[in-house]
Structures are given as structure tokens and as C-alpha cells.
Amino acid sequence: MSDDTARFELPPVMKIEDCEALHAFFTGVTDQNVEIDCSGVERLNGLSAQMLLVAQASWQKTARAVTISNPSEGFEQGCALLGLPDLIPQDQVAV
């Protein structure tokens, strides 16, 4: 991604305060590409996943991108349990 990419690191477990912080982050970077670092995620909840999906769809409409990077095993398992395999780019799925 280019230098105009805003980055956010998801915590191991998203609490409501973390979801509020993620929402505030997204609100402040609507004119930038976004990279979400998921390397430390131990558990992905439904609200967090929903926020990521909505952001990806919204950014795509403006020719910007929300990229999921470094998905941890916990993040991958959470996506699988929530039925959201497309949330993780295929080139980053552990085999």
C-alpha cells in the first residue's frame, strides 16, 4: 500500500471500547486506504467482523481499500466460525 495508508492494529479481544475506537478510526480516515493488522487477534467477535465488512464495502465504492493484514490463527478461526471466509485475502490464508 502507498504512504497514504492509515493503519489500525486490532487487539487480542475486541471489547466495546475497542469497537468504538475502530469506528472513530474509520470515521477519521475515509479519504485514505486502510490496513488492519490482525496479527494479535485471539478471538474475533461478530461486531468487529461486521465493522470490517462494512468498511471494506464502503471503501470499495470510493476506489479505496481496506486490507486485512497478518491474520492470526484466532482471526482466521473467528472468520470461519462466523461464515466469513472472504474477509481474509486468499493469499494470506494459512494452509
Side-chain angles (χ1 to χ4, degrees):
M1 299 204 134
S2 65
D3 290 334
D4 74 334
T5 300
R7 291 172 177 79
F8 189 93
E9 183 176 342
L10 293 182
V13 178
M14 293 279 287
K15 299 179 188 111
I16 191 68
E17 298 84 16
D18 300 314
C19 291
E20 291 171 351
L22 181 59
H23 179 266
F25 168 78
F26 280 135
T27 301
V29 297
T30 56
D31 60 339
Q32 294 177 268
N33 290 314
V34 172
E35 178 182 349
I36 304 295
D37 182 352
C38 302
S39 60
V41 174
E42 295 172 6
R43 187 174 64 235
L44 179 68
N45 63 37
L47 178 57
S48 304
Q50 183 178 12
M51 291 175 71
L52 295 173
L53 286 170
V54 168
Q56 283 181 331
S58 296
W59 265 248
Q60 187 176 22
K61 289 178 184 176
T62 62
R64 297 282 185 177
V66 173
T67 303
I68 303 298
S69 66
N70 309 313
S72 66
E73 185 177 334
F75 185 85
E76 290 179 11
Q77 288 175 349
C79 287
L81 287 171
L82 293 168
L84 301 170
D86 295 337
L87 189 57
I88 305 171
Q90 290 304 307
D91 63 344
Q92 294 200 25
V93 174
V95 192

